[in-house]
Amino acid sequence: MSLAWRACALVLGLTLVAACGLQSGGVVPLRVGPAGIQRVPELEGVRITVGSKDFTEQNILGYLIEFALSAAGADVRDMTNIQGSNSVRDAQLHGQIDVAYDYTGTGWINYLGNETAAPDEIGQFEAVRDADRTEHGMAWTAMAPMNNTYALVMSARTARETGVRTLSDFAALVGSDPAAAALCVGTEFNARPDGFPGLARRYAIDTTAVRKQIVQDAVVYQATADSKQCRFGSVAATDGRLPALNLVLLQDDRGFFPKYNAALVMRADFADEHPQVATVMSPISRRLTNDTITELNRQVDVDGREPADVARDWMVAEGFVTAR
């Protein structure tokens, strides 16, 4: 799949979301056939539109859904790479997207407006599953063990020089030596209640003293590794650039960040009409550990491979589908 194709897909996806009408999306970029996933008569020819947000992991997860349901016989349409969590959520609520992977912490905090997260992964999943079905008619199912929580990181050099190990250590450094605690944050992390605003409250970070730069998410990783533009940075904990750049996670010693396990999300009426979707996807979700998704992310962000290729190769290697 070419970069030009992906750019066109993004523009198309944003146009469709803005239109707030039921649209079909684009074609699935690569072909697959049945293997471990066999044809499902109840899904044969059913048109299913798959969505995702506009970052590497989400695109990979979206393609996993597309290849799985294509192998099962559905008429799958591609609306991956939509900008921002709220745009994907609105597209689902308005019926433009039938199924997507989303994160339990995002659902609980951002979509449902809660401030305090559940302390464990199962409890967080069950809370968002029950509340979102009741309040918005959305069904959450097939939770994966992967937990893409937010985190702050630093280079190994910064860790040695500052002695910082925890987020409490970072907060103390902001108070004692703001220049040594220079921070880069992504645009969404800077504004989300489960991002910097909530983090600052929980750890009593002096927001008037902290030297914070708001940058594109992709910039944070290398800038933090270089330790020049910033000494610390906001990241996703399953990003493949973390091990590649030898970045060190700060311990969340006060348990601020919610659990962000990926789970399949559908409108409840769609999920009830097509329960086979969850049946097909559940074995895939069970294999999506932190190590697995971090490696798939690394192949895209470090090796420069296309997300669709990475997703299909993994599905073939795991025996779910065949390549055509």
Side-chain angles (χ1 to χ4, degrees):
M1 181 178 59
S2 69
L3 293 176
W5 189 97
R6 286 179 57 75
C8 290
L10 173 58
V11 173
L12 174 62
L14 291 175
T15 301
L16 296 177
V17 170
C20 290
L22 185 61
Q23 303 288 343
S24 60
V27 298
V28 177
L30 299 173
R31 296 183 63 199
V32 298
I37 297 173
Q38 292 293 306
R39 294 280 178 173
V40 178
E42 295 87 349
L43 293 179
E44 197 74 40
V46 175
R47 176 161 287 198
I48 300 176
T49 302
V50 178
S52 82
K53 306 171 194 181
D54 62 336
F55 58 90
T56 293
E57 180 171 291
Q58 273 281 297
N59 282 314
I60 291 171
L61 292 175
Y63 290 132
L64 294 181
I65 302 172
E66 292 183 5
F67 297 142
L69 297 182
S70 293
D75 177 12
V76 178
R77 313 302 294 174
D78 176 22
M79 276 187 63
T80 54
N81 210 40
I82 295 173
Q83 186 174 19
S85 298
N86 290 334
S87 295
V88 175
R89 172 70 168 188
D90 288 344
Q92 284 205 281
L93 292 173
H94 287 90
Q96 294 169 282
I97 292 172
D98 297 310
V99 58
Y101 271 111
D102 214 324
Y103 303 101
T104 54
T106 302
W108 187 245
I109 304 294
N110 283 65
Y111 304 156
L112 294 169
N114 297 287
E115 295 184 359
T116 303
D120 64 278
E121 294 179 351
I122 297 299
Q124 186 65 88
F125 169 74
E126 291 176 345
V128 71
R129 177 198 64 192
D130 295 346
D132 209 15
R133 178 177 276 268
T134 299
E135 296 179 27
H136 301 289
M138 300 296 289
W140 292 67
T141 187
M143 186 186 82
M146 58 170 284
N147 175 20
N148 186 14
T149 186
Y150 277 127
L152 292 192
V153 294
M154 58 190 166
S155 67
R157 175 183 175 182
T158 297
R160 290 192 302 271
E161 292 177 350
T162 63
V164 168
R165 296 292 180 270
T166 68
L167 289 173
S168 290
D169 294 338
F170 170 75
L173 186 64
V174 171
S176 64
D177 188 357
L183 174 68
C184 284
V185 298
T187 51
E188 194 163 326
F189 180 86
N190 184 63
R192 288 171 56 133
D194 52 348
F196 185 76
L199 177 71
R201 287 193 297 272
R202 177 66 63 88
Y203 284 92
I205 295 171
D206 186 350
T207 56
T208 63
V210 66
R211 299 195 178 182
K212 180 182 65 171
Q213 295 186 61
I214 303 169
V215 299
Q216 293 298 315
D217 290 312
V219 173
V220 174
Y221 296 84
Q222 189 63 57
T224 306
D226 293 341
S227 302
K228 296 177 181 178
Q229 184 176 352
C230 46
R231 311 285 306 278
F232 300 87
S234 66
V235 299
T238 55
D239 195 284
R241 288 165 288 192
L242 300 183
L245 294 172
N246 196 28
L247 292 170
V248 180
L249 292 169
L250 276 66
Q251 180 185 348
D252 184 9
D253 52 307
R254 295 187 183 178
F256 165 69
F257 289 118
K259 308 300 182 185
Y260 290 85
N261 293 83
L264 208 65
V265 185
M266 299 171 274
R267 296 182 312 281
D269 58 350
F270 177 88
D272 293 343
E273 184 176 357
H274 303 291
Q276 300 82 11
V277 171
T279 302
V280 169
M281 291 304 303
S282 290
I284 297 170
S285 288
R286 286 196 292 269
R287 297 194 197 181
L288 293 175
T289 64
N290 271 19
D291 288 344
T292 295
I293 197 65
T294 299
E295 169 57 20
L296 298 183
N297 290 336
R298 186 199 65 78
Q299 291 181 36
V300 176
D301 290 326
V302 179
D303 295 346
R305 301 188 66 207
E306 288 291 336
D309 293 327
V310 170
R312 188 176 69 168
D313 286 355
W314 182 80
M315 293 279 283
V316 170
E318 293 294 314
F320 289 119
V321 303
T322 56
R324 286 187 172 178

